[in-house]
Amino acid sequence: MSFSPRPLGPLGCSSIQEQRDHWQRKFSRTAKEMVQTEQHYCQQLGLVTTFFVEILKAKGTLRLDIREDIFSSIKAIHSVNQALLVHLENGYFGKGLDQFCSHIHHYYTYVDNIYNANKVLEMQLKKNKAFRRFKKLQETRPEFNNHKLEDLLQLPIQRIDQYKHFLQNLISSTSRENPEYEQLSRAMTAVCEVSQRIQDNTRHHENHLELCRVQKLLKGRKTKVLAAGRWYIREGWLKVVPQKGAEAKPKMFFLFSDMLLQAKHCSPLHSTNGHKFAGEHAYPLQDCTIEKVFGYTRSQGGLLSLTFPRTKLLLMSSNQEDLNDWYQSLSSAIRKLHSKQTVIHHRDELCRRPLHSAADNHNTPSNSSEKCLYHLFQVSAEISERAEEPPVEQDCSAPKRMKPSDVSGQRWDVAACRH
């Protein structure tokens, strides 16, 4: 029995046409869903702007600054999306989304303010009786369909993720030769940037809540956890091994991006602080080194040795998995701090190292052109010298922000070296 291949021409044309038909069906489904959801979205935004923003402005129930804190740029967003809806309903998806992204800064304003908006709204509902009554009355309108104002204020945040989904489907079913392809791609880039901003804001907000939680767990005000640029990493119990052979005592440790905080549990008999901790030592991680002393077997646990400029800390755990997690967390935090310190040190070195010493001033050429050549020679020598130095290993993970106090301290060193 022999097999002969089918003619490539008709089969190839059929396959291409089938692919085009598939793209067309996918584009049509996505376009229809996007139009329908956009209509509903604009309708819900209209409820907020009409029955809250405009009426509150007319009644004067809330001050102007409080209204802006709660509703931010939602009125401008409603206007922008109404214009987008007109283009979508007429089938101009590329043009409409391209123009929409030219006004996407209103979404940036809104997503940066959303956590503050929730806080101010909650405060007004507690303190402002007239506003509390007004909100309850508006939400009972049949147009709201049992939706609360808190839910409606989250709609612009949720809509950004929906736009990402729609644009992915539209782009994947649009030919590169189509003029709308570039417009849809630009819109996708702009929407993804807003989505990343939302994720970053969420991460910062969650970190702030963790810092506040730890701060409330600590007795008194001497130990301050809240600091700009500080990130919460983990917490847990570890035994501190004294150097003189006394009994190891369990302590609570809180690990942050720049320090390790050691605390002890307050007396459970205390009336107000029975559930809190008292801070004992705050160990900065910037100049810290860490190593495992022993305990690589699962049954025996292990010991961590942390060396600081003025002291040494031995931490023990009988749980091998927990010890490994502490080691990884501490190593990562120290490595990131060292990588930042290395970058700043290189910049500071460029400032401190002069192009020529004061003792060589008598050898400096007097002619201006000769001075230029002389300085070029000195700079080339500096670059060649540094090029021969071994490279510094950098951490591949995304570095976190430095505290303003650390940054200002480095700037002071750079400024001082110039004088």
Side-chain angles (χ1 to χ4, degrees):
M1 182 180 293
S2 63
F3 294 91
S4 59
R6 293 183 180 181
L8 295 178
L11 180 61
C13 294
S14 176
S15 300
I16 293 174
Q17 187 60 42
E18 288 178 359
Q19 183 64 44
R20 288 175 177 173
D21 293 341
H22 172 71
W23 284 351
Q24 184 61 40
R25 290 192 298 269
K26 183 178 180 180
F27 190 97
S28 299
R29 288 195 305 267
T30 304
K32 182 179 179 180
E33 184 181 359
M34 189 173 185
V35 170
Q36 292 176 347
T37 55
E38 188 69 20
Q39 291 171 342
H40 185 60
Y41 175 55
C42 288
Q43 180 185 4
Q44 291 180 310
L45 290 180
L47 295 177
V48 179
T49 57
T50 302
F51 294 103
F52 278 96
V53 178
E54 296 296 339
I55 297 180
L56 284 171
K57 180 180 178 181
K59 290 173 63 68
T61 307
L62 295 177
R63 297 198 317 263
L64 174 61
D65 59 329
I66 296 178
R67 292 202 311 270
E68 291 179 347
D69 284 341
I70 295 176
F71 300 104
S72 186
S73 58
I74 197 168
K75 187 176 180 180
I77 288 175
H78 182 216
S79 178
V80 169
N81 281 90
Q82 282 181 314
L84 172 62
L85 179 59
V86 173
H87 285 93
L88 298 182
E89 290 176 337
N90 291 323
Y92 302 120
F93 284 80
K95 180 181 179 181
L97 287 166
D98 203 20
Q99 291 184 4
F100 164 76
C101 289
S102 65
H103 302 283
I104 207 166
H105 58 275
H106 296 301
Y107 274 86
Y108 277 107
T109 302
Y110 194 84
V111 301
D112 288 344
N113 181 70
I114 189 62
Y115 292 109
N116 179 60
N118 295 336
K119 182 179 179 180
V120 175
L121 176 60
E122 183 180 357
M123 185 180 301
Q124 289 300 312
L125 290 175
K126 288 181 179 180
K127 297 182 178 181
N128 193 329
K129 187 177 181 180
F131 175 68
R132 187 165 61 248
R133 288 179 177 178
F134 172 81
K135 175 179 177 293
K136 186 176 181 180
L137 177 64
Q138 298 300 82
E139 291 172 345
T140 57
R141 290 177 176 271
E143 296 93 335
F144 280 78
N145 194 24
N146 296 324
H147 285 102
K148 301 295 183 182
L149 176 61
E150 293 86 344
D151 300 330
L152 297 176
L153 290 177
Q154 297 296 322
L155 291 178
I157 310 295
Q158 300 167 1
R159 189 60 177 169
I160 290 296
D161 282 337
Q162 293 173 359
Y163 283 145
K164 284 180 59 178
H165 169 72
F166 290 137
L167 283 166
Q168 286 173 352
N169 289 339
L170 292 176
I171 292 174
S172 64
S173 56
T174 302
S175 173
R176 289 181 177 271
E177 290 75 20
N178 193 316
E180 286 193 328
Y181 184 86
E182 290 297 331
Q183 296 173 326
L184 294 173
S185 298
R186 286 196 298 269
M188 184 66 175
T189 301
V191 168
C192 286
E193 289 175 354
V194 179
S195 177
Q196 185 61 49
R197 184 74 155 260
I198 294 173
Q199 295 177 23
D200 292 342
N201 290 349
T202 301
R203 199 162 59 94
H204 280 80
H205 179 68
E206 291 174 350
N207 178 68
H208 177 72
L209 294 180
E210 288 288 353
L211 293 178
C212 291
R213 179 187 64 81
V214 175
Q215 188 68 69
K216 291 180 180 179
L217 282 176
L218 299 174
K219 181 187 70 172
R221 300 181 179 180
K222 291 184 178 181
T223 307
K224 293 184 178 181
V225 170
L226 290 169
R230 176 172 291 163
W231 289 84
Y232 168 85
I233 299 178
R234 63 160 299 168
E235 64 190 60
W237 290 92
L238 290 170
K239 290 184 178 180
V240 178
V241 180
Q243 297 181 359
K244 294 183 179 181
E247 183 181 358
K249 296 182 179 180
K251 301 288 183 180
M252 172 61 76
F253 285 90
F254 299 93
L255 177 61
F256 304 96
S257 58
D258 62 331
M259 75 169 183
L260 178 66
L261 177 63
Q262 175 183 321
K264 65 177 182 179
H265 206 294
C266 295
S267 173
L269 301 178
H270 199 281
S271 58
T272 58
N273 297 326
H275 64 289
K276 293 188 176 183
F277 295 88
E280 291 185 323
H281 301 285
Y283 300 96
L285 300 178
Q286 187 170 1
D287 298 319
C288 173
T289 57
I290 181 174
E291 60 179 353
K292 284 184 178 180
V293 178
F294 66 87
Y296 292 95
T297 60
R298 186 175 297 276
S299 59
Q300 296 180 357
L303 187 70
L304 298 180
S305 173
L306 283 80
T307 304
F308 302 93
R310 296 184 179 180
T311 186
K312 191 171 184 179
L313 186 63
L314 296 177
L315 303 177
M316 185 177 67
S317 175
S318 57
N319 187 322
Q320 185 69 43
E321 184 178 354
D322 185 54
L323 185 80
N324 290 336
D325 188 58
W326 271 104
Y327 177 77
Q328 295 295 333
S329 300
L330 282 162
S331 299
S332 177
I334 294 170
R335 187 167 58 249
K336 290 175 182 178
L337 283 175
H338 285 182
S339 65
K340 294 177 184 178
Q341 187 179 13
T342 301
V343 172
I344 295 175
H345 173 72
H346 278 276
R347 291 177 181 174
D348 188 56
E349 184 179 302
L350 287 175
C351 175
R352 296 191 181 198
R353 185 179 294 178
L355 292 178
H356 58 278
S357 62
D360 297 333
N361 283 342
H362 62 279
N363 296 324
T364 304
S366 57
N367 186 285
S368 60
S369 60
E370 293 179 353
K371 286 183 178 179
C372 293
L373 292 174
Y374 178 79
H375 285 298
L376 282 173
F377 174 78
Q378 293 290 337
V379 172
S380 300
E382 295 286 340
I383 295 175
S384 300
E385 181 182 343
R386 283 192 293 273
E388 296 175 356
E389 296 177 357
V392 180
E393 182 180 356
Q394 298 290 337
D395 183 19
C396 297
S397 58
K400 295 185 174 64
R401 296 179 180 177
M402 295 183 63
K403 294 193 299 180
S405 59
D406 296 337
V407 177
S408 61
Q410 297 294 343
R411 288 177 179 173
W412 173 259
D413 292 339
V414 173
C417 73
R418 293 176 180 171
H419 295 287

